[in-house]
Amino acid sequence: MNSFGRNFRVTTWGESHGVGIGAVIDGCPAGLPLSAEDIQVELDLRKPGQSDLTTPRKESDTVEILSGVFQGTTTGTPISLLIRNRDVRSSDYETLKEIYRPGHADFTFQQKYGIRDHRGSGRASGRETACRVAAGAVAKKLLARQGMVVLAFVRQIGTVSLDPEILDTLAPAARSLSLDEAASLRQTIFNSTVRCPHEETARAMIETVRGVAEQDDSVGGIIEVRAYGLPAGLGEPVFGKLDACLAGSLLSIGAVKGIEFGEGFRLAALKGSQANDPFKEEEGRVVPAANRAGGVLGGISSGAPLNFRVVIKPTASIKKPQDTVNMRGEKTVLSVEGRHDPCIAVRVVSVIEHMTNLVLVDLFFSQILSTLNKNKTF
Amino acid sequence: MNSFGRNFRVTTWGESHGVGIGAVIDGCPAGLPLSAEDIQVELDLRKPGQSDLTTPRKESDTVEILSGVFQGTTTGTPISLLIRNRDVRSSDYETLKEIYRPGHADFTFQQKYGIRDHRGSGRASGRETACRVAAGAVAKKLLARQGMVVLAFVRQIGTVSLDPEILDTLAPAARSLSLDEAASLRQTIFNSTVRCPHEETARAMIETVRGVAEQDDSVGGIIEVRAYGLPAGLGEPVFGKLDACLAGSLLSIGAVKGIEFGEGFRLAALKGSQANDPFKEEEGRVVPAANRAGGVLGGISSGAPLNFRVVIKPTASIKKPQDTVNMRGEKTVLSVEGRHDPCIAVRVVSVIEHMTNLVLVDLFFSQILSTLNKNKTF
Amino acid sequence: MNSFGRNFRVTTWGESHGVGIGAVIDGCPAGLPLSAEDIQVELDLRKPGQSDLTTPRKESDTVEILSGVFQGTTTGTPISLLIRNRDVRSSDYETLKEIYRPGHADFTFQQKYGIRDHRGSGRASGRETACRVAAGAVAKKLLARQGMVVLAFVRQIGTVSLDPEILDTLAPAARSLSLDEAASLRQTIFNSTVRCPHEETARAMIETVRGVAEQDDSVGGIIEVRAYGLPAGLGEPVFGKLDACLAGSLLSIGAVKGIEFGEGFRLAALKGSQANDPFKEEEGRVVPAANRAGGVLGGISSGAPLNFRVVIKPTASIKKPQDTVNMRGEKTVLSVEGRHDPCIAVRVVSVIEHMTNLVLVDLFFSQILSTLNKNKTF
Amino acid sequence: MNSFGRNFRVTTWGESHGVGIGAVIDGCPAGLPLSAEDIQVELDLRKPGQSDLTTPRKESDTVEILSGVFQGTTTGTPISLLIRNRDVRSSDYETLKEIYRPGHADFTFQQKYGIRDHRGSGRASGRETACRVAAGAVAKKLLARQGMVVLAFVRQIGTVSLDPEILDTLAPAARSLSLDEAASLRQTIFNSTVRCPHEETARAMIETVRGVAEQDDSVGGIIEVRAYGLPAGLGEPVFGKLDACLAGSLLSIGAVKGIEFGEGFRLAALKGSQANDPFKEEEGRVVPAANRAGGVLGGISSGAPLNFRVVIKPTASIKKPQDTVNMRGEKTVLSVEGRHDPCIAVRVVSVIEHMTNLVLVDLFFSQILSTLNKNKTF
């Protein structure tokens, strides 16, 4: 279905070349100051055309709040958000009407529904993720009240990877950042054309992207998330584990093909004595040392920074000619013209950040209901 | 919450050292022949004590069907399954009552709920996964009627990894296996002490496990899934994508710390022209060549084999002494005595297989409702 | 929350004097021909200003389909419907800003949320039901494919009630109507100013409504539903019973204060031998005689016509002066000016019909998944 | 499906003549003292055989807590409750195997599933409601912490009805009872053989029940609920209205055929000026006078006592011979032997009370999440 979350529930709708796309947020508490501008600033960080490394499509992505806000404050009723589609050059897609583009959902939608809106991938378009950013912007405001902040950035493009030790000086895995430090780091990230907070690495990444673009090709990447200020206790045992909810939500982003927490796939080769985080006492609080677990133990946040990585596949749409077939099974050669990002990972950073916001706020609300006799104010 | 699935909904309950554990299946159609024996054979493949490489705990794991089956056939009403706890040596855990074990959920449960059942990890115990195997056994029978079969096996333990080319001769990624071939391969997998279908590799893995066991330590691993017979069309656009549902459900298994589909994390370094699967025509059907996508496109099954890997962390309970703290924050050294698997990946294979069954049957039922005018018989 | 249904899921949003109201339908199968006109005709039957007996407000209620339909056919993706608010004379409500209107939700919204949109009841406005009519219009098309049709009409206004024997000649409780007969009866209902299919009774009802209107007052009523063509088997045992789903959905309409099925409250005074419907054989099929149960047995449709009644309270907004208090607890006398229906039951008929459509289509989809080996085409 | 509630979620399972019945409660906060005895006392008020007016069946209905409670306190994990079936005289039902009993779900289950457990109505048995009482007992403890208490009692049997003015002296509709007064009234109710708090009326009701029992027949009734101590604010706008949730849950009890709130069906004949509750100021608080609305305005509790009535059909199983058909459509005469209640309304009182508890606790938890900046402790 097209809804996400249990307490802070988001329903998205819309196709890339229809009238528009939108989201309905159900479960936002009354009393939160909210304006279209709060959402617009986040959408602007996702929108195409911000540099020569992204598609020059002009998606202005202007959001309207249609309901749920009265005199600048949420009322507790559903918040309906609308983003009209403007730069819809559907004719670009007319030639693709009968062709199954490699790496795209054309074929599987056709098989599933017996019909598909072929214009710009329809519902399967990455454009849908703008709705998640819009809803995530509201979640972000709620999290900020609790001192939580999520940072997402590009960790790897092609074979260029941000060195783990440098990274740890910028966004530590085992100790917290203050909200100010986090805000400043986020600024650095979004000032970077490739959303990488380390300038030298960013330069090498840019070179890689320019290189594949010149070959009419595209390239993959890895996005890392480090989130600070989470209390211990977020996540539900069994099916609603924090890592399970994150994995389920992040793999629902089209280009994401894998996720790993903390040490991730390296754990296969480690011993228990190397992988376990011993606990230690720090300023009167118990905390896990090292944080190889990525801030989650038994599916519940440990109070250490949340840390995970997702892999982003290379943009499927490339100008380089590819063999494929059409709807009648006839061989054809496809060169996708249009206007596409040579490395979609760059634009997905903002989506990853906001999907994480959505998961955290939803589990935070669950956590409020998990015990009696505890201070529940929020 | 403790429920999973929308159409074929499973709710699990129970702690490792309470009266028992169980599952309620809601949404199993009427008319399926079902006996406790059908479920028991699957539980027996997960239960401990099957070799010197797993814990010698005697969890007989005998399942009782309490409802939903009449005269050997499901009635459409909830199927309640009960597995009583028998070999409950809670006293083993008395010394752990106040200690936060590294790598375990003791600390996070205490933080979340202000109370925890410290006996054998309580609700956080891997024992809960027996309920998923039990429910998965019912899902498996439903899938078999549709010609779908899921195979899970150990791909890597420590640094010993099954060679991809050998693997592809056994369980091909880009072409289907017949149900007979798949059944025979499954037999080979479960005949292996380490659930690896290639004998020579299995021997090296066994050596690795024995090695860490002798050091009172444990080791991680990677489990791979290849599933055959899936029609194109399983999975819902946006939040109910096939890969999203699998990721969400598999990360809800305690020891799993990452998942990747098809080429997975290797995609970061690939170009679009290398990563895309061109379509081809084969025996009158359109199919993706190569299947680097792992059988999923835009979150919907492509008809090619489903293929993904999960990483399993080393067993957290080790005899080797570890530094940690108790509930008062005082330093202590912990040597977990008890009876534990040196490589939990081996026993998780069966859990991974059955969680995959649960996801597939749930999405298959959704798929039935996705179009009008299509043959919907099942 | 603001969603309804499990398989055919409708989320509504919007306030009466905000930008607009809308609905998102998730779960409509692909392949249904659908146009805005299909929905508009149903909205037009609910809209105000159709006679001198309803409010003269000009709610043009024009619906736009924003997504989910491509080239005149549903695609299986969410259908987003938007109805802009046009005739918004919010200033009418300025004087009500601080007053708790008797019979309205002003006070309870204020208590619940600490904030409320006071313009025209905000989210609590009956205007929200236009969204249910719009979604119900889609459900109606799906039901028609299965030969199901729902008829709702005014049974009583004030003390004027349609005689049960006359009613049974028009809309029989114990035998089916053909689709043609039902369509013709529906025409008669909506041709009536008070939505009552018996002319003489309708005349007396009209007189009653005019009478209270002249007194600056309002009056209540009873709406009856008789639905034809339902197969036996709709409804889920226990919490998803057909009557439970209908009761839950119909009481969610603001003005509805009660519901009864078949003999309803009369059953209190009946004996079992008088209340039970014996089964009989009719043209090779088993059917309940008499149908005192209203077409539901054990929460599942019996194949006999569905039959129930809901009571509609008098319109709360009346010009007649009423004592009440303002937000500071100070006494005041209120005369609601504005533009209000003297008998809201008349306009609710269409809402009741379409909420019933929504329930039936949702349970019909569940029913498809209830057994194996049965003909499931739809 | 077989689950109820969103935050405090109850899943029930089991057939009347299978191994047992049970419930899983998901969402009970940690920290609530809970014992099997707490639940048993409530079950004992529902169990049969308490007087000569109820079935002499010996359902001992002994509850076991299988999980979720540790050392006398809830842990936040699912609470699994088991009630084994003991007095299962399935042979009584052998003769009914092929007969469709009037007023029962035999026919509709057979039509829906193509199979049914014919022993004692299987899943459709009223025995399932014991699970709701068991879960409701936990909800009741949570509500008591908030000062809320639900009272249900028999208002009418046959034509004997408790006078509204007498009733209002016992359980007032427009002003609150203290917890002590409510506890004492509850005692009076359950001391009465027919669960009616007024002795003289109770005597007349008993006579009515004895009269129909002597005729091998049964009789219907009306149960009334008055609940005290509810804060203003319970219930969600639109689909989760307090009255909608109550209607949906109470109609899911097999014998219930209607529900009405406050003035209920009488509202059809009233004018707005007669039906509206003016607000007044009382001890510094705003309250609705009169409370004709039954404590709900716009679907949200007003702070006045909650008040509604449900109608209970006569017990379907009667010894008096009835015409019906068997599964082959052949006419037959049925005299239900077995052991049945002549007026099931009497035993349903406890079920109504506890379903109401379940609804209130669920909406109370939602209410906690509805605003920011409010005192949320519970």
Side-chain angles (χ1 to χ4, degrees):
Chain A
M1 310 289 274
N2 295 275
S3 297
F4 175 78
R6 214 168 63 84
N7 301 296
F8 188 88
R9 190 161 181 79
V10 177
T11 301
T12 74
W13 56 266
E15 282 83 39
S16 59
H17 286 63
V19 179
I21 58 175
V24 181
I25 303 173
D26 199 359
C28 183
L32 182 75
L34 185 69
S35 68
E37 183 54 24
D38 291 333
I39 298 171
Q40 194 62 52
V41 293
E42 302 298 330
L43 280 173
D44 287 349
L45 295 176
R46 193 208 75 102
K47 80 170 175 205
Q50 298 183 73
S51 82
D52 65 327
L53 295 186
T54 61
T55 168
R57 275 200 310 272
K58 293 282 180 311
E59 297 176 9
S60 64
D61 282 358
T62 306
V63 70
E64 292 172 71
I65 300 179
L66 302 182
S67 68
V69 176
F70 181 57
Q71 298 177 338
T73 304
T74 60
T75 59
T77 62
I79 302 170
S80 178
L81 304 174
L82 171 63
I83 302 170
R84 293 201 169 265
N85 293 329
R86 287 181 213 269
D87 183 27
V88 285
R89 291 170 35 190
S90 308
S91 53
D92 279 10
Y93 295 94
E94 204 52 30
T95 58
L96 299 175
K97 205 166 130 179
E98 301 224 310
I99 292 177
Y100 292 138
R101 291 169 299 161
H104 276 284
D106 304 339
F107 172 69
T108 51
F109 265 65
Q110 187 70 40
Q111 290 296 304
K112 183 174 187 73
Y113 296 115
I115 179 179
R116 74 191 155 99
D117 179 347
H118 65 269
R119 301 165 305 169
S121 298
R123 181 73 181 144
S125 165
R127 183 157 171 69
E128 180 271 338
T129 60
C131 300
R132 311 197 198 188
V133 171
V138 183
K140 186 187 172 181
K141 290 198 78 173
L142 288 164
L143 291 177
R145 291 174 64 101
Q146 308 297 324
M148 292 187 246
V149 61
V150 175
L151 298 172
F153 50 87
V154 169
R155 172 74 191 268
Q156 184 179 330
I157 288 178
T159 54
V160 181
S161 179
L162 174 54
D163 178 81
E165 290 187 17
I166 295 174
L167 169 55
D168 227 55
T169 61
L170 298 168
R175 65 169 179 83
S176 201
L177 287 188
S178 72
L179 287 185
D180 277 355
E181 291 170 317
S184 152
L185 179 55
R186 189 169 187 261
Q187 191 88 45
T188 309
I189 292 166
F190 283 103
N191 283 344
S192 159
T193 315
V194 285
R195 310 306 193 211
C196 175
H198 184 245
E199 210 181 323
E200 201 183 310
T201 312
R203 268 199 300 272
M205 288 174 172
I206 291 169
E207 217 165 301
T208 298
V209 179
R210 290 226 172 95
V212 298
E214 276 162 23
Q215 297 163 36
D216 292 338
D217 213 333
S218 62
V219 68
I222 290 176
I223 294 171
E224 179 138 5
V225 169
R226 298 200 169 182
Y228 298 96
L230 280 62
L234 300 187
E236 303 278 308
V238 186
F239 300 110
K241 287 190 169 82
L242 172 56
D243 38 2
C245 290
L246 286 164
S249 76
L250 293 170
L251 269 287
S252 80
I253 299 164
V256 177
K257 295 294 282 183
I259 189 169
E260 57 175 8
F261 289 81
E263 291 292 312
F265 276 90
R266 288 191 56 228
L267 287 163
L270 294 187
K271 294 180 187 169
S273 57
Q274 297 168 319
N276 283 346
D277 293 314
F279 288 96
K280 62 177 182 181
E281 191 270 339
E282 204 177 74
E283 295 168 25
R285 296 188 327 134
V286 172
V287 292
N291 194 23
R292 296 175 195 117
V296 199
L297 273 172
I300 300 172
S301 65
S302 68
L306 177 67
N307 177 218
F308 62 86
R309 280 164 302 286
V310 293
V311 61
I312 310 293
K313 69 174 190 177
T315 316
S317 293
I318 52 176
K319 204 173 174 183
K320 195 166 187 170
Q322 305 174 83
D323 294 328
T324 192
V325 299
N326 64 16
M327 288 176 72
R328 288 175 302 281
E330 298 158 349
K331 284 189 185 176
T332 183
V333 172
L334 173 71
S335 169
V336 184
E337 297 293 335
R339 308 151 290 170
H340 303 281
D341 293 270
C343 178
I344 195 65
V346 171
R347 284 220 290 129
V348 173
V349 164
S350 148
V351 182
I352 301 290
E353 180 192 306
H354 286 293
M355 274 309 300
T356 305
N357 285 331
L358 289 173
V359 171
L360 290 180
V361 86
D362 197 50
L363 292 176
F364 173 67
F365 285 173
S366 284
Q367 169 60 358
I368 288 171
L369 301 178
S370 66
T371 57
L372 298 171
N373 300 327
K374 239 177 129 180
N375 190 350
K376 308 283 186 182
T377 44
F378 71 99
Chain B
M1 309 289 270
N2 296 273
S3 297
F4 175 79
R6 215 168 62 84
N7 302 295
F8 188 89
R9 189 159 182 79
V10 177
T11 301
T12 75
W13 57 266
E15 283 80 41
S16 60
H17 287 62
V19 179
I21 56 175
V24 180
I25 304 171
D26 200 358
C28 182
L32 182 74
L34 186 69
S35 68
E37 184 52 26
D38 291 334
I39 298 171
Q40 194 61 54
V41 294
E42 300 299 331
L43 280 174
D44 288 349
L45 295 175
R46 193 208 76 102
K47 80 169 174 204
Q50 297 182 74
S51 82
D52 65 327
L53 294 186
T54 62
T55 168
R57 276 200 309 275
K58 294 283 180 311
E59 296 176 8
S60 63
D61 283 358
T62 306
V63 71
E64 292 172 72
I65 300 179
L66 302 183
S67 69
V69 176
F70 182 57
Q71 299 178 339
T73 303
T74 59
T75 59
T77 62
I79 301 171
S80 177
L81 304 174
L82 172 63
I83 302 171
R84 293 202 168 264
N85 292 330
R86 290 182 211 269
D87 184 27
V88 284
R89 287 167 41 187
S90 308
S91 53
D92 280 10
Y93 295 94
E94 204 51 29
T95 58
L96 300 176
K97 207 166 130 179
E98 301 224 309
I99 293 177
Y100 292 139
R101 292 169 300 162
H104 277 283
D106 304 339
F107 172 69
T108 50
F109 266 65
Q110 187 71 40
Q111 290 297 303
K112 183 176 186 71
Y113 295 115
I115 180 179
R116 73 192 156 101
D117 180 347
H118 65 269
R119 301 164 305 169
S121 299
R123 181 72 181 144
S125 165
R127 184 156 172 69
E128 182 271 339
T129 60
C131 300
R132 312 197 198 187
V133 171
V138 183
K140 185 185 173 183
K141 291 199 76 173
L142 288 163
L143 291 177
R145 292 173 64 102
Q146 308 298 325
M148 292 187 244
V149 61
V150 175
L151 297 174
F153 50 88
V154 169
R155 174 71 190 271
Q156 183 178 333
I157 287 179
T159 54
V160 182
S161 179
L162 175 55
D163 179 82
E165 288 187 19
I166 295 174
L167 169 55
D168 228 56
T169 61
L170 297 167
R175 65 169 178 81
S176 200
L177 287 189
S178 73
L179 288 185
D180 278 354
E181 290 169 317
S184 152
L185 179 54
R186 189 169 187 263
Q187 191 88 45
T188 308
I189 292 166
F190 283 103
N191 282 345
S192 158
T193 315
V194 286
R195 310 309 193 209
C196 175
H198 184 246
E199 211 182 324
E200 203 183 308
T201 312
R203 268 199 302 271
M205 289 173 172
I206 290 169
E207 219 166 300
T208 298
V209 179
R210 291 226 171 97
V212 296
E214 276 161 23
Q215 298 162 34
D216 292 337
D217 213 333
S218 63
V219 68
I222 290 175
I223 294 171
E224 180 139 6
V225 168
R226 300 202 165 183
Y228 298 96
L230 280 63
L234 300 187
E236 303 279 310
V238 188
F239 301 110
K241 287 190 170 80
L242 172 55
D243 36 3
C245 291
L246 285 165
S249 77
L250 292 170
L251 269 288
S252 80
I253 298 166
V256 175
K257 296 292 283 184
I259 189 168
E260 57 174 9
F261 289 81
E263 291 294 311
F265 276 87
R266 289 191 58 229
L267 287 163
L270 294 188
K271 295 181 185 168
S273 58
Q274 298 166 318
N276 283 346
D277 294 313
F279 289 95
K280 61 178 182 180
E281 191 270 340
E282 202 178 76
E283 295 168 24
R285 295 188 327 137
V286 172
V287 291
N291 193 23
R292 296 172 196 121
V296 200
L297 272 171
I300 300 173
S301 66
S302 68
L306 176 66
N307 177 218
F308 63 86
R309 280 164 302 287
V310 292
V311 61
I312 311 292
K313 72 175 187 176
T315 316
S317 294
I318 52 175
K319 204 173 174 181
K320 196 165 185 169
Q322 302 176 85
D323 294 328
T324 192
V325 298
N326 65 15
M327 288 176 71
R328 288 175 302 281
E330 299 158 349
K331 283 189 185 178
T332 184
V333 172
L334 173 71
S335 168
V336 184
E337 297 292 334
R339 306 152 292 170
H340 304 280
D341 294 90
C343 178
I344 195 64
V346 172
R347 284 219 290 129
V348 173
V349 164
S350 146
V351 182
I352 300 291
E353 179 191 309
H354 286 293
M355 275 309 299
T356 306
N357 285 331
L358 288 172
V359 171
L360 291 179
V361 85
D362 197 49
L363 292 176
F364 173 66
F365 286 172
S366 284
Q367 169 59 357
I368 288 170
L369 301 178
S370 66
T371 57
L372 299 170
N373 299 327
K374 236 176 130 180
N375 190 351
K376 307 284 187 182
T377 44
F378 67 99
Chain C
M1 311 288 272
N2 296 273
S3 297
F4 176 77
R6 214 168 63 83
N7 301 295
F8 188 88
R9 189 158 183 81
V10 177
T11 300
T12 75
W13 57 265
E15 282 82 41
S16 58
H17 286 63
V19 180
I21 56 175
V24 182
I25 302 173
D26 200 359
C28 182
L32 181 76
L34 186 70
S35 69
E37 182 54 25
D38 291 333
I39 298 171
Q40 195 60 55
V41 293
E42 301 298 331
L43 280 173
D44 287 349
L45 295 176
R46 192 207 76 102
K47 81 171 173 203
Q50 297 181 75
S51 80
D52 65 327
L53 295 187
T54 62
T55 167
R57 276 199 308 272
K58 292 281 179 313
E59 297 176 8
S60 64
D61 283 356
T62 307
V63 71
E64 291 174 72
I65 299 179
L66 303 182
S67 68
V69 176
F70 182 57
Q71 298 176 340
T73 304
T74 60
T75 60
T77 62
I79 301 170
S80 178
L81 304 175
L82 171 64
I83 302 170
R84 292 200 170 264
N85 293 330
R86 288 183 212 267
D87 183 27
V88 283
R89 289 167 41 186
S90 307
S91 53
D92 279 10
Y93 296 95
E94 205 51 31
T95 57
L96 299 176
K97 208 166 129 179
E98 302 224 308
I99 292 177
Y100 293 139
R101 291 170 299 163
H104 277 283
D106 303 339
F107 172 68
T108 52
F109 266 64
Q110 187 70 38
Q111 289 295 303
K112 182 175 187 71
Y113 296 115
I115 180 179
R116 75 193 154 98
D117 181 346
H118 65 269
R119 302 164 304 169
S121 299
R123 181 73 180 144
S125 165
R127 183 154 171 72
E128 181 271 339
T129 60
C131 300
R132 313 197 196 187
V133 170
V138 184
K140 185 186 173 181
K141 290 199 77 173
L142 288 163
L143 291 177
R145 292 174 64 101
Q146 308 298 324
M148 292 187 246
V149 62
V150 175
L151 298 173
F153 51 87
V154 170
R155 173 72 190 272
Q156 183 178 332
I157 286 180
T159 53
V160 181
S161 178
L162 175 55
D163 178 81
E165 289 188 19
I166 295 174
L167 169 55
D168 228 57
T169 62
L170 297 167
R175 67 168 178 82
S176 202
L177 287 188
S178 73
L179 288 185
D180 278 354
E181 289 169 318
S184 151
L185 179 54
R186 188 169 187 262
Q187 191 87 47
T188 308
I189 293 166
F190 284 103
N191 282 346
S192 159
T193 314
V194 285
R195 309 310 192 209
C196 174
H198 184 246
E199 212 182 321
E200 201 183 309
T201 312
R203 268 199 301 270
M205 288 173 171
I206 291 168
E207 216 164 302
T208 298
V209 179
R210 292 227 170 98
V212 296
E214 277 161 22
Q215 300 162 35
D216 292 338
D217 213 334
S218 63
V219 67
I222 290 175
I223 294 172
E224 180 140 7
V225 169
R226 300 202 165 180
Y228 298 96
L230 280 62
L234 299 187
E236 303 279 308
V238 186
F239 299 112
K241 289 190 168 79
L242 172 55
D243 36 3
C245 291
L246 286 165
S249 76
L250 293 170
L251 270 288
S252 81
I253 299 165
V256 177
K257 296 292 283 183
I259 189 170
E260 56 175 10
F261 289 82
E263 291 293 313
F265 276 88
R266 287 192 58 228
L267 286 163
L270 294 189
K271 295 180 186 170
S273 58
Q274 296 167 320
N276 284 345
D277 292 314
F279 288 96
K280 62 177 181 180
E281 191 270 339
E282 202 177 76
E283 295 168 25
R285 297 188 324 136
V286 172
V287 292
N291 193 24
R292 295 174 195 118
V296 199
L297 272 171
I300 301 172
S301 65
S302 67
L306 177 66
N307 176 218
F308 62 85
R309 280 165 302 286
V310 293
V311 61
I312 310 294
K313 70 174 188 176
T315 316
S317 294
I318 52 176
K319 204 171 174 183
K320 195 167 186 169
Q322 303 175 82
D323 294 328
T324 190
V325 298
N326 65 15
M327 288 176 72
R328 289 176 301 281
E330 298 157 349
K331 284 188 186 179
T332 182
V333 171
L334 173 71
S335 167
V336 184
E337 296 294 334
R339 307 153 290 169
H340 304 280
D341 294 269
C343 179
I344 196 64
V346 171
R347 283 219 291 128
V348 174
V349 163
S350 148
V351 182
I352 300 290
E353 179 191 309
H354 285 294
M355 275 308 300
T356 305
N357 285 331
L358 288 171
V359 171
L360 291 179
V361 86
D362 196 51
L363 292 175
F364 173 66
F365 286 172
S366 284
Q367 168 61 356
I368 289 169
L369 300 178
S370 66
T371 58
L372 298 170
N373 299 328
K374 238 175 130 181
N375 190 350
K376 309 282 185 181
T377 43
F378 69 101
Chain D
M1 309 288 272
N2 296 273
S3 297
F4 175 78
R6 213 169 64 83
N7 301 295
F8 187 88
R9 189 159 182 80
V10 177
T11 301
T12 74
W13 56 266
E15 283 81 40
S16 59
H17 286 64
V19 179
I21 57 175
V24 181
I25 302 172
D26 201 359
C28 182
L32 181 75
L34 186 69
S35 68
E37 184 54 25
D38 290 334
I39 299 171
Q40 194 63 53
V41 294
E42 301 299 330
L43 280 174
D44 288 349
L45 295 175
R46 194 208 73 103
K47 81 171 175 202
Q50 297 182 73
S51 81
D52 65 327
L53 295 187
T54 62
T55 168
R57 275 199 311 272
K58 294 281 179 313
E59 295 177 8
S60 64
D61 282 358
T62 306
V63 71
E64 292 173 73
I65 300 179
L66 302 182
S67 69
V69 176
F70 182 56
Q71 299 177 338
T73 304
T74 59
T75 59
T77 61
I79 301 171
S80 177
L81 304 174
L82 172 63
I83 302 170
R84 292 201 169 266
N85 293 329
R86 289 184 211 268
D87 183 27
V88 284
R89 287 166 43 185
S90 307
S91 54
D92 280 10
Y93 296 93
E94 205 50 31
T95 57
L96 300 176
K97 205 165 129 180
E98 303 222 308
I99 292 177
Y100 292 139
R101 290 171 300 162
H104 277 283
D106 303 340
F107 172 68
T108 51
F109 266 64
Q110 187 71 39
Q111 290 296 303
K112 182 174 187 71
Y113 295 115
I115 180 178
R116 74 189 155 101
D117 181 346
H118 64 269
R119 301 165 306 169
S121 298
R123 181 73 180 145
S125 166
R127 184 157 171 70
E128 182 271 338
T129 60
C131 300
R132 313 199 197 185
V133 170
V138 183
K140 185 186 172 180
K141 290 199 77 173
L142 289 163
L143 291 178
R145 292 173 64 100
Q146 308 298 325
M148 292 188 244
V149 60
V150 175
L151 298 173
F153 51 87
V154 169
R155 173 74 190 270
Q156 183 178 332
I157 287 179
T159 53
V160 182
S161 178
L162 176 53
D163 179 81
E165 290 188 18
I166 295 175
L167 169 55
D168 227 56
T169 62
L170 298 168
R175 66 169 178 82
S176 200
L177 286 189
S178 72
L179 287 185
D180 278 355
E181 289 169 319
S184 152
L185 179 55
R186 190 170 186 261
Q187 191 88 45
T188 307
I189 293 167
F190 282 103
N191 282 345
S192 158
T193 313
V194 285
R195 309 311 192 208
C196 175
H198 184 245
E199 210 181 323
E200 200 182 311
T201 311
R203 266 199 302 272
M205 288 173 172
I206 290 169
E207 216 165 303
T208 299
V209 179
R210 290 225 171 99
V212 296
E214 276 161 24
Q215 297 163 36
D216 293 338
D217 213 332
S218 62
V219 69
I222 289 174
I223 294 172
E224 180 139 5
V225 169
R226 298 200 167 182
Y228 298 97
L230 280 63
L234 300 187
E236 305 278 308
V238 186
F239 300 111
K241 288 189 169 81
L242 172 55
D243 38 1
C245 291
L246 285 165
S249 76
L250 292 171
L251 270 288
S252 81
I253 298 166
V256 176
K257 296 292 283 183
I259 189 169
E260 56 175 9
F261 289 81
E263 291 293 312
F265 276 89
R266 288 190 58 228
L267 288 162
L270 295 188
K271 296 182 184 167
S273 57
Q274 297 167 318
N276 283 346
D277 293 313
F279 288 96
K280 61 176 181 182
E281 191 271 338
E282 201 177 76
E283 296 167 24
R285 296 188 326 135
V286 172
V287 291
N291 194 25
R292 296 175 195 117
V296 200
L297 273 171
I300 299 173
S301 64
S302 67
L306 176 67
N307 176 218
F308 62 86
R309 282 165 300 287
V310 292
V311 61
I312 311 294
K313 71 175 189 175
T315 317
S317 293
I318 52 176
K319 202 170 174 184
K320 195 165 185 172
Q322 302 174 85
D323 293 329
T324 191
V325 299
N326 65 16
M327 291 175 69
R328 288 175 303 280
E330 298 158 347
K331 284 189 186 176
T332 182
V333 172
L334 172 71
S335 168
V336 182
E337 298 291 335
R339 306 152 293 170
H340 303 281
D341 293 271
C343 178
I344 195 65
V346 172
R347 285 219 290 126
V348 173
V349 164
S350 148
V351 182
I352 300 292
E353 179 191 306
H354 286 294
M355 276 309 299
T356 305
N357 285 330
L358 289 171
V359 170
L360 291 180
V361 87
D362 197 50
L363 292 176
F364 173 66
F365 286 173
S366 285
Q367 168 61 356
I368 289 170
L369 301 178
S370 66
T371 57
L372 299 170
N373 299 328
K374 236 177 131 180
N375 189 351
K376 308 284 187 181
T377 43
F378 67 97

